[in-house]
Amino acid sequence: MRRAMAPFHSWLRGVAIASRQDPPRFIELMMLCLAIFSLVAWSFWESSYFLVVCVSYILGASASILVREMIAPSPNTRLVRCIVALSALIALFCLYIAYTTVHPLHWLNQLTQ
């Protein structure tokens, strides 16, 4: 049993070290992973809630990355900004899909109930 858990423990130890070394980047990575999971859930259940959550995670991670790059620029700032802009455009396109596939205010009415 101990050998079977060894890879999990080393993975968990790596996650803990990564979260201590660079917490903002770790949070951004978690937000993007949750966005991917909600996008997969949307592809199975086709509920606009999952798509809206995905968009909010992507836009939140993009804003966090831009703020981090403004505070402490990395050597490849231009590439990072292009990737963030591209991900924001993809998120807005997903939001447009969610808006057009459902009655315009139907999902908003469901949120308030």
Side-chain angles (χ1 to χ4, degrees), residues 20-107:
R20 278 187 243 134
Q21 285 180 349
D22 196 2
R25 188 168 288 172
F26 178 74
I27 295 298
E28 293 158 1
L29 176 66
M30 289 295 107
M31 289 176 72
L32 291 175
C33 287
L34 288 171
I36 291 170
F37 290 141
S38 63
L39 193 61
V40 168
W42 174 73
S43 68
F44 284 118
W45 290 290
E46 295 184 3
S47 175
S48 61
Y49 297 123
F50 294 113
L51 201 56
V52 171
V53 168
C54 173
V55 169
S56 66
Y57 279 136
I58 291 173
L59 290 178
S62 299
S64 176
I65 291 170
L66 283 177
V67 168
R68 183 173 42 88
E69 284 295 318
M70 286 182 191
I71 292 172
S74 65
N76 51 1
T77 303
R78 190 173 189 180
L79 176 66
V80 170
R81 287 184 181 172
C82 288
I83 291 172
V84 166
L86 182 64
S87 66
L89 285 174
I90 291 171
L92 291 175
F93 180 69
C94 288
L95 191 61
Y96 172 74
I97 290 172
Y99 182 75
T100 57
T101 57
V102 180
H103 187 275
L105 294 177
H106 178 70
W107 64 274

